[in-house]
Structures are given as structure tokens and as C-alpha cells.
Amino acid sequence: GTFVSVRGRLYEDLFTNVVATAWDQAGGLRPRYQTRTEVYLLTNWKGRFPSGAFGLLASLAHQYREPVTFVAGSTTYRSTYSRTVDAKLEIRIMSGTISWQLRNLAGDIFDQVPGALMPRSVSVYGIRWDFRN
């Protein structure tokens, strides 16, 4: 198969991460094509917060995967293609981070594993805190 990865800075605090895999043919548990593209803003705004006490991460990601074949005993199952768009926002103040993710923004219904439908849109949020001496 062929694997391609491109990541880096697009402009100032704007970055990208692109990963693509293409196989000569699909196989058991292996899609023929699979891609993930992410564009994100990552900044500490040092000009406004010189102490580094603030950070911001905002990203938008797109993932695509061709159908996959699963074999269970003598039965063969085939999943549908999957395409998701995800968004993430993280705000860091000192050592605490508030995080919010919206997965499957478009609300597509698909099964990455036959018989197990992925949920429409899912919102995941939380707070992380880093304690150290």
C-alpha cells in the first residue's frame, strides 16, 4: 500500500495534518482508501498573554474510510463507507483546560463494524487539570 502524511504550519498559528492510506485492493478488516485531514489553530497569544497562562486549540477534521469486509465463521459482512467531520475547541488557563468536541458533525449514519451503527452527532466535553509540585 501507499501511505502519505503531510503536517505542518500553513500560516502563523494555523496548522494542518493530512494522512492518507491507499492499498492495491481492499482486504479483510482493511479498507482500500482511508484519509484524515485536520486544520487547526494552535496559539498561546504570547503578545497578549506574555506569561503563557493562556492557550487555544480550535480544529476541524474530516475522516473518510471505504467499506471494510469482516469474516465471522463462514459468513462475510461488509460495512458501509464512513465519512465524519469533527470539531474541537480547547481553552487552557494556567494548568486547567476546558475541552469540547463535536463528533460526526454532519450526522451521517454508517456502520464501521456491520450491525453497529455509529451515533449521529456526539458532544464530548470536560475539564483537565494538571497538578504538580
Side-chain angles (χ1 to χ4, degrees):
T2 304
F3 175 81
V4 176
S5 176
V6 177
R7 71 181 331 174
R9 185 182 307 266
L10 291 175
Y11 177 78
E12 292 184 358
D13 294 332
L14 190 64
F15 297 86
T16 190
N17 188 7
V18 179
V19 178
T21 305
W23 296 96
D24 296 333
Q25 61 184 1
L29 305 177
R30 186 182 66 210
R32 171 138 180 172
Y33 299 107
Q34 183 172 337
T35 64
R36 183 177 193 282
T37 306
E38 181 178 25
V39 175
Y40 59 98
L41 173 70
L42 178 62
T43 185
N44 288 328
W45 277 326
K46 287 284 190 173
R48 191 134 165 98
F49 302 96
S51 66
F54 180 82
L56 176 73
L57 168 66
S59 76
L60 196 60
H62 176 267
Q63 298 181 64
Y64 174 79
R65 183 166 63 181
E66 292 266 313
V68 178
T69 302
F70 294 82
V71 178
S74 61
T75 308
T76 301
Y77 300 96
R78 190 162 172 83
S79 69
T80 58
Y81 79 94
S82 64
R83 181 187 68 218
T84 63
V85 177
D86 305 328
K88 180 181 359 180
L89 176 65
E90 289 189 349
I91 300 171
R92 182 187 51 78
I93 301 172
M94 301 294 283
S95 61
T97 304
I98 298 168
S99 176
W100 174 71
Q101 298 176 34
L102 186 57
R103 298 178 184 164
N104 195 10
L105 230 132
D108 288 345
I109 297 175
F110 57 90
D111 58 347
Q112 286 186 332
V113 176
L117 290 178
M118 296 295 287
R120 289 182 182 259
S121 288
V122 175
S123 189
V124 179
Y125 54 90
I127 298 176
R128 293 190 312 270
W129 208 275
D130 186 19
F131 297 98
R132 51 180 124 166
N133 290 333

